[in-house]
C-alpha cells in the first residue's frame, strides 16, 4: 500500500481519540494522518447542557485540537465535509477535495425533528457549542426584555423542554440557574414556568423506573412541571402546541428547547453506505459493511445488544472503547494482516446529571446510584476522559474537581 | 396650612436628593412627604452607558430607595404617574389617586426621536436600567447568533450609534468591551464595525473644539468610524438609512443605538403648565410659572444662561444644586414666609467619559482636561454625589475607587 493516507472526519469523542491514538501507535513514516473538523476545537458534548443553561462557560467544555494533536505528525484541516465519495475514495470539502486510502467516519449526529412543524425553524437545540451558547443568550435576552416591555409577556418567562436524556440534564442545570437569572433581571421566581413535555408516561423511560422517579422528584422539587404522555405538535416563535389525550393545548413561550431526538449525520448517511434506521451498518471490526477501507465510529454507528436486540446508548465512553478497536484494525489493515479485532461493547453504567448537586444512574452490576455519589461518578467519568484525551495537562485545565458544586 | 402633604414625583437625581434633604430639614410633624417612583430603586443615569456596553453591572448603578430614605419618615410609593391635575391638586397613578398641597415634579426626560421613521420601534436607547440592560443582552445575542447561522450576517456585527454626548460615552465603553466580546463569541476584531452618525461636522459640537477633536481621536484609535454631517433617515430591524450630502446610504445593522435627543417627560409637559421648547417654564425660585405650590426640578426644567442665551447642560450636579433651592423654598412656603431664594446656576465643569481609561472635559475656569486627569475628576464627581445622597455607606458600596480601571 506504500504510505497510506488515513483521513478522519470529525473531531468528536470518537474521531479525536482515534487521531490521538494513531499518533502514538503508528510511526510517522508508516502513514499520513489527516483530521478534518468543522471547528478548530473539540467539545465535550456531555457538558453542553451546562453551557446552554449558563452554569458553565463554553471555554471549559472545549479543547483546541492543537492542544491534543501534534500538528507536525497529524495534518489538521478546519473545513465542512460536503460529501463522501467512497467509490472515488475522495472527500468533498467546502474548500476542495481530499483523497484517502483509509477513511474513518466520525461525524456524529444532528437533531432529528421528525417533521414536527416549526421545530427546525423556531426550537433551540443543544448539540453544538454555538447552539448551546445561543440558547443561553436567548434566555437572558428574553428575561431582559420582560421588564423592558410595558405590556408584560409571560411567554418570555416560560421555557418548554421536549423529551430525552439531554432534556432532563438541561432541566437539572436550568433549575439551578433560575434563581440567579431571577436576581439578575428583577423577576420573581414564581413567575417562571419550566415545562417538560414527554411522550412516555415518565422521563427517562429507558432507565430503571426507580431512577426515573428519582429524577422527576428532584426536578419537581425545583419547580419543573411535567406533562407526560404528550407530544409536541407545532412550534411557533411565541408559542408551542402539544397534544395530550387527543386534545390540543397551547403554551405561550419564546423558548422551546428540542432535545427529543437525534439522527446520524446526514452526509454520512447519504454517501451510499447501507444503513439501518438511519445508522450506518457496520461489521464487528468497525468497518462499514461492504467497504474494506472505511471505518465508522461513534454515534454514526448503531450497535445492537444481542441479548435484548436494543440499541446501546451512545455514550462518550463507548466512543472511546470503539476508538481502540478502530486504531487496532487500521494498523492491521496497513500491515496487511488478515485478522481483525471485533468490537464487543462493554456496558459500563450511565449517569444522568440533574444539575450540579444531583444525579442518578447505574454502574457495572446495575447498582443504582442517587444524589452525591452519582454526581461524583459523573465527574470521575468526565475526568477520566480528559486524562485519556489530553493527559495530565488537560485534566488539570478542564477537569471537574469540586465535588460540592 | 395645617400639616401639608408634599408629593415628589420621580426618584432621579433631583427628586431623590429633594426627598433626602427634606427628611433632614423638616421635622416630621411639620409635613407629610410622599415620594412616587416607577421603580423601587434610583439609578445613576450618568453610568447607564457602562451598563449598556456591559462593562458595569447594573446593580452597581442602582440604589434601592429604601437604602437612602427613612421609610418611617417618608412614604414611598412604587407606581407609574399617569397624569398631573394641578387644578384639582391631585396626581393620577396607575393604582389610584393622590392629593397634594405642595408638588415637586422631577420626572426627568424621555428619548426624543423627532419623528424619524422606525427609531421608536427598532432603535435602542439607554435612558433606563431596563433599556441599558436590554441593549447589552441584544448585542451579546447577536454576537452569539453570528456563528450559529450558516449564512453569515454582517449586520449582527455592525453597531450604529446616533449622536449626542451619551452616544460618545457609550462608544467609549463599547470599544473597551469589544475585545472581550470577540473572545467570548469567537469573532475576529476586524469583523466588527462601530459607526457613529453625527449631524454636526464633529462629535460634541457644544464643547471646545480641542475637546471634541481629542474625543474623536481617542475613539478612532479604538476603531470607531465617524460619519459626520449626516442624518439618520430611517431605522429598520436589520438596517439603517442615513443621508449625507443629499445621498441616502444604507448600513446593514441589527443594533442601532439612538442617543441623539431627549425631551421632558410628556406627562409633565401635558399637564397644563406653560412650556418653552418642551421644557416647563419655571421662575427663579424653581416654582412652575403660574403655580404657587408646584415646583419643577432636574431635567424637567430648562435653565437658560443669561449671558449666552444658551440652555445649561442638564447634569446631575445641576439637579443637586437645584434640590437645595427647592428644599429651601418648600420650607419657606410651609412656614408662610414671603421671601424665596432664587436659583443661580453655577457652572462647575463637565467631563465626558471615553471608556474606563480615557475622558475629556473642562473644569471651573474652563481649564481643559484630557486622559487620566479627566477620568479621575469624573470619578470624583460620581463619588461626591454618592456621599451626598447616601453618606459614607453608599459611597463605600457603589463608589469608583480604582483610578486605573
Amino acid at each position: 500500500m506504500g504510505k497510506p493516507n488515513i483521513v478522519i472526519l470529525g473531531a468528536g469523542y470518537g474521531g479525536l481519540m482515534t487521531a490521538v491514538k494513531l499518533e502514538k501507535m503508528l510511526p510517522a513514516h508508516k502513514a499520513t494522518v489527516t483530521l478534518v473538523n468543522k471547528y478548530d476545537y473539540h467539545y465535550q458534548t456531555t457538558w453542553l447542557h451546562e453551557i446552554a443553561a449558563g452554569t458553565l462557560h463554553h471555554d471549559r467544555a472545549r479543547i483546541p485540537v492543537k492542544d491534543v494533536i501534534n500538528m507536525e505528525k497529524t495534518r489538521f484541516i478546519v473545513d465542512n465535509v460536503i460529501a463522501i465519495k467512497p467509490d472515488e475514495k475522495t472527500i468533498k470539502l467546502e474548500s476542495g477535495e481530499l483523497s484517502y486510502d483509509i477513511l474513518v467516519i466520525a461525524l456524529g449526529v444532528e437533531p432529528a425533528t421528525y417533521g414536527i412543524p416549526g421545530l427546525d425553524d423556531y426550537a433551540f437545540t443543544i448539540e453544538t457549542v454555538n447552539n448551546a451558547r445561543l440558547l443561553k443568550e436567548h434566555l437572558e435576552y428574553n428575561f431582559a426584555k420582560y421588564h423592558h416591555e410595558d405590556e408584560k409577556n409571560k411567554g418570555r418567562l416560560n421555557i418548554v423542554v421536549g423529551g430525552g436524556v439531554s432534556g432532563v440534564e438541561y432541566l437539572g442545570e436550568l433549575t439551578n440557574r433560575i434563581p440567579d437569572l431571577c436576581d439578575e433581571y428583577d423577576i420573581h421566581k414564581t413567575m417562571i414556568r419550566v415545562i417538560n413535555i414527554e411522550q412516555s408516561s415518565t422521563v427517562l423511560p429507558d432507565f430503571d423506573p426507580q431512577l426515573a422517579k428519582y429524577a422527576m422528584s428532584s426536578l419537581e422539587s425545583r419547580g419543573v412541571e411535567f406533562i407526560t404522555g404528550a407530544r409536541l405538535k407545532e412550534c411557533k416563535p411565541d408559542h408551542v402546541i402539544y397534544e395530550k389525550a387527543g386534545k390540543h393545548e397551547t403554551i405561550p413561550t419564546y423558548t422551546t428547547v428540542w432535545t427529543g431526538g437525534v439522527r446520524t449525520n446526514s452526509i454520512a448517511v447519504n454517501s451510499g453506505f447501507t444503513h439501518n434506521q438511519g445508522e450506518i451498518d457496520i461489521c464487528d471490526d468497525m468497518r462499514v459493511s461492504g467497504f474494506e477501507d472505511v471505518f465508522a465510529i461513534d454515534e454514526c454507528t448503531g450497535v445492537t445488544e444481542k441479548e435484548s436486540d436494543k440499541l446501546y446508548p451512545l455514550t462518550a465512553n463507548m466512543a472511546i472503547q470503539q476508538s481502540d478497536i478502530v486504531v487496532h484494525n487500521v494498523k492491521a489493515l496497513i500491515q496487511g494482516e488478515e485478522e481483525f479485532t471485533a468490537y464487543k461493547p462493554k456496558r459500563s453504567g450511565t449517569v444522568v446529571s440533574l444539575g450540579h448537586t444531583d444525579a442518578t444512574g447505574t454502574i457495572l452490576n446495575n447498582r443504582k446510584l442517587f444524589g452525591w455519589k452519582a454526581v461524583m461518578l459523573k465527574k470521575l467519568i468526565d475526568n477520566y476522559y480528559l486524562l485519556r484525551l489530553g493527559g495530565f495537562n488537560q485534566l488539570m485545565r478542564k477537569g471537574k474537581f469540586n465535588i460540592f458544586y
Side-chain angles (χ1 to χ4, degrees), chain A residues 62-127:
Chain A
R62 58 181 176 184
I63 297 169
V65 169
K66 69 175 170 41
D67 285 0
V68 290
I69 289 288
N70 183 339
M71 294 292 187
E72 284 172 21
K73 284 186 175 176
T74 306
R75 191 175 153 213
F76 177 49
I77 299 175
V78 178
D79 207 341
N80 279 318
V81 177
I82 304 293
I84 302 168
K85 299 177 182 169
D87 298 328
E88 305 168 20
K89 292 199 170 200
T90 54
I91 307 298
K92 202 167 168 244
L93 301 177
E94 221 166 71
S95 64
E97 277 206 342
L98 205 61
S99 66
Y100 67 81
D101 296 310
I102 299 172
L103 180 66
V104 180
I105 304 173
L107 289 170
V109 288
E110 55 195 26
T113 48
Y114 311 118
I116 300 170
L119 278 189
D120 279 334
D121 291 330
Y122 306 122
F124 290 80
T125 58
I126 49 186
E127 92 289 2

Side-chain angles (χ1 to χ4, degrees), chain A residues 13 20 34 103 105 142 233 239 247 259 279 316 350-351 358:
Chain A
Y13 291 108
V20 165
T34 306
L103 180 66
I105 304 173
N142 276 285
K233 280 312 213 186
H239 68 270
K247 275 169 72 180
T259 48
E279 271 142 352
T350 323
V351 185
D358 203 359

Side-chain angles (χ1 to χ4, degrees), chain A residues 305-355:
Chain A
E305 194 174 36
K306 286 203 174 114
E307 303 93 67
S308 68
D309 204 36
K310 263 191 182 173
L311 283 174
Y312 269 91
L314 305 160
T315 62
N317 183 48
M318 207 160 95
I320 299 168
Q321 288 175 32
Q322 290 183 338
S323 70
D324 282 331
I325 307 299
V326 169
V327 168
H328 190 276
N329 290 345
V330 164
K331 213 175 151 188
L333 190 63
I334 292 173
Q335 291 170 343
E337 291 168 19
E338 304 263 307
E339 284 287 305
F340 286 83
T341 309
Y343 170 56
K344 286 190 201 74
K346 275 180 286 183
R347 272 203 182 271
S348 62
T350 323
V351 185
V352 179
S353 144
L354 301 168

